[in-house]
Amino acid sequence: MLIPISYPLNRRTPLYPGREPLTITPTKSLARGDPEEESQITFSSHAGTHINLPRHSCPDGGSVSALLAPEAVFAPARCIEIPKTGEEPIRIHDLLGHLDAVLSARALFVKTGSGRLRESDPEAYAKAHPWMHPEVPGFLRTQNPALRLLGIDTISIATPSYPEEGAKAHRAFLCNHPHIFLLEDVDLSYGRLLGEPWILRLYPVVFDDLEAVPVVALAEFE
């Protein structure tokens, strides 16, 4: 069974402050006498559910086409619940009750509950959300050197109120070895994600030399 955990990308997609919204520009029109309809779509590489690769924060870091495949598979994937509100940070002590998942996961997902605001209060979802403290990447890497991806139900692991901490956290995940990729703005509302291990399947919307890219993300259950 496959469950989508990525959000559809459209012009109403919430975005981290400073990012440009998706635009659709008609380039051919039947009304203008063209033989067909055609549009040009422009969007940020960090729009919607997207994966960050080392190129995003690290000099000479690897890109989408260098480090991913057109279908990228991570297994086992585990999802843990760490309820947070507002701009509360996720810290090491929040993870201590979930060490079984931390130690076994190739891809670890953190459900804060922030995803509930994505439709009801997109401004708060984009600007005032839980964030990942810079102490967390090193702890995860020490506990589980096989961990390759961290996913979260917030628009970013960083929040605009704490830009320095956000930059440090990104660098700690993406630049240190082994790299831990970041999957942000993930739909973790499906209850079964919190139980058994599952398989994560990622399909980059654009497969090229990019620092980040929106993805189609699927959770596969046997």
Side-chain angles (χ1 to χ4, degrees):
M1 180 172 65
L2 294 172
I3 301 297
I5 60 171
S6 51
Y7 291 104
L9 188 59
N10 56 50
R11 285 173 284 194
R12 298 181 303 279
T13 295
L15 297 168
Y16 194 84
R19 298 219 162 98
E20 294 296 323
L22 181 148
T23 60
I24 301 174
T25 304
T27 56
K28 292 183 181 180
S29 169
L30 294 171
R32 293 201 306 258
D34 296 318
E36 59 196 6
E37 293 276 336
E38 187 173 307
S39 300
Q40 178 170 299
I41 306 170
T42 304
F43 53 86
S44 168
S45 56
H46 297 261
T49 306
H50 64 281
I51 188 169
N52 291 335
L53 281 299
R55 174 77 59 82
H56 176 45
S57 299
C58 325
D60 302 317
S63 67
V64 171
S65 57
L67 298 178
L68 291 182
E71 179 188 49
V73 180
F74 298 83
R78 301 292 302 272
C79 183
I80 61 177
E81 189 167 26
I82 301 177
K84 296 285 182 179
T85 58
E87 294 181 286
E88 288 185 273
I90 298 164
R91 305 203 60 161
I92 289 174
H93 64 79
D94 295 309
L95 298 164
L96 297 180
H98 304 279
L99 287 182
D100 176 64
V102 169
L103 293 171
S104 63
R106 185 82 168 172
L108 181 68
F109 288 81
V110 177
K111 180 180 181 179
T112 67
S114 178
R116 294 191 298 268
L117 298 177
R118 199 176 191 273
E119 291 292 331
S120 62
D121 192 348
E123 183 174 0
Y125 181 76
K127 295 181 179 180
H129 55 80
W131 53 283
M132 197 68 64
H133 194 276
E135 71 184 13
V136 169
F139 172 78
L140 292 175
R141 194 175 280 111
T142 299
Q143 296 295 314
N144 181 4
L147 183 66
R148 290 294 176 270
L149 181 142
L150 179 105
I152 194 166
D153 64 345
T154 63
I155 203 165
S156 173
I157 67 161
T159 189
S161 297
Y162 302 96
E164 291 185 11
E165 290 87 346
K168 288 179 182 177
H170 274 87
R171 288 194 298 269
F173 274 112
L174 297 172
C175 302
N176 294 339
H177 292 274
H179 306 304
I180 301 175
F181 306 150
L182 296 170
L183 190 63
E184 298 170 321
D185 197 10
V186 185
D187 182 1
L188 299 178
S189 61
Y190 184 60
R192 192 175 171 185
L193 294 170
L194 290 169
E196 66 204 81
W198 38 279
I199 299 170
L200 171 67
R201 296 187 180 274
L202 294 181
Y203 303 89
V205 173
V206 179
F207 190 73
D208 212 317
D209 189 31
L210 291 164
E211 85 294 339
V213 68
V215 298
V216 174
L218 301 175
E220 180 178 346
F221 296 90
E222 297 182 354

